Amino acid sequence: MIRNKKAEGVSVQVIARIHTDFPTKFGIPRQSGLVSELVGEIVFEPEFRRPEALIGIEEFSHLWLLWEFSAAKRENWSATVYPPRLGGKEKRGVFATRSPFRPNPIGLSSVKLEQVIRKGEDGPKLIVSGVDLMDGTPIYDIKPYLPYADAHPDAIGGFGQAHREDGIQVVFPQEFLQLLPEDKRQAAIRVLEQDPRAAYNKQPDYVYGMEFAGYDIRFTVRDEVLTVCEIVPTNEGKWEKVK
């Protein structure tokens, strides 16, 4: 008979951290790949800055990232959660969702590999797109995405598939849009179209603030139309993609 034995002393190492335009959780897309314009820069920890560890990675178009929900830790876990795509009103089992509040706060994202930067003071680095991670998120592992094994065209997406197209209309006045760097404008619009508000916090005419790319984008929502009303530079600054 095989008995389960409680693992003791099990630990994982942070191999890298990712830099993105999100200094806080608010506004981050709920899944990777939803906003292809969102770019991140993966910087390896000094111990793992080994160029030979990336030999052959350019042969793959997409990568899997295993990472930590570092801003969503809790002392206890719950067997059921309220998925935001169900309006925060219906419960599902935690293992039937991608909620960040899990027994082990581990996330999984599929991102597109845009560039490998092998030279530089803190190189090598990876530039990826379609990210759904907060700035500074610890990464535990990176694996290549294999279409023949990882893609299942006939897979059933459950309640998540039914709400795939959920979104909101965005009005972004040109006077505010032009305050953003040109290469961040489309990404900002796409992120807002995902409706950053929590399901339990949708108040008409309330002024919300989303920190993005060094700016606080402030907006209101009424009758399912999101309108940007102000943009204020923040003191957080923003990361700049290496050219």
Side-chain angles (χ1 to χ4, degrees), residues 33-218:
L34 291 179
V35 181
S36 60
E37 294 87 352
L38 289 177
V39 177
E41 181 180 87
I42 297 175
V43 179
F44 289 89
E45 295 292 285
E47 180 182 353
F48 299 100
R49 291 176 189 170
R50 302 281 295 274
E52 60 268 32
L54 297 179
I55 294 175
I57 199 168
E58 293 100 332
E59 298 176 31
F60 302 92
S61 65
H62 291 73
L63 304 172
W64 287 112
L65 305 181
L66 283 85
W67 47 276
E68 179 187 4
F69 285 105
S70 53
K73 292 182 179 180
R74 289 182 175 179
E75 290 288 333
N76 302 309
W77 71 282
S78 174
T80 57
V81 296
Y82 291 94
R85 284 307 187 196
L86 292 179
K89 299 177 182 179
E90 298 181 40
K91 281 189 175 183
R92 290 291 189 273
V94 65
F95 300 129
T97 75
R98 296 192 176 187
S99 168
F101 303 109
R102 323 181 66 79
N104 294 305
I106 297 174
L108 176 68
S109 295
S110 175
V111 296
K112 183 179 180 182
L113 177 60
E114 298 287 351
Q115 184 181 3
V116 180
I117 301 173
R118 297 187 178 278
K119 297 182 180 180
E121 183 178 350
D122 53 357
K125 303 176 185 178
L126 301 177
I127 304 299
V128 296
S129 62
V131 300
D132 60 339
L133 293 87
M134 192 172 72
D135 186 51
T137 294
I139 295 177
Y140 291 135
D141 203 4
I142 299 171
K143 301 178 185 291
Y145 177 95
L146 301 177
Y148 74 88
D150 297 340
H152 302 277
D154 298 326
I156 298 174
F159 66 84
Q161 186 72 21
H163 294 271
R164 177 181 178 182
E165 303 300 329
D166 287 1
I168 196 168
Q169 180 182 345
V170 172
V171 176
F172 207 135
Q174 190 64 31
E175 62 184 292
F176 297 131
L177 187 62
Q178 67 183 6
L179 297 177
L180 295 178
E182 187 173 356
D183 63 338
K184 303 294 183 183
R185 295 172 188 173
Q186 186 60 30
I189 294 172
R190 292 286 308 282
V191 168
L192 292 172
E193 287 176 343
Q194 300 293 315
D195 193 353
R197 299 173 300 162
Y200 56 82
N201 185 27
K202 295 186 176 181
Q203 306 174 46
D205 295 328
Y206 179 85
V207 178
Y208 297 87
M210 181 185 78
E211 293 188 48
F212 176 77
Y215 296 85
D216 185 5
I217 301 176
R218 299 174 182 175

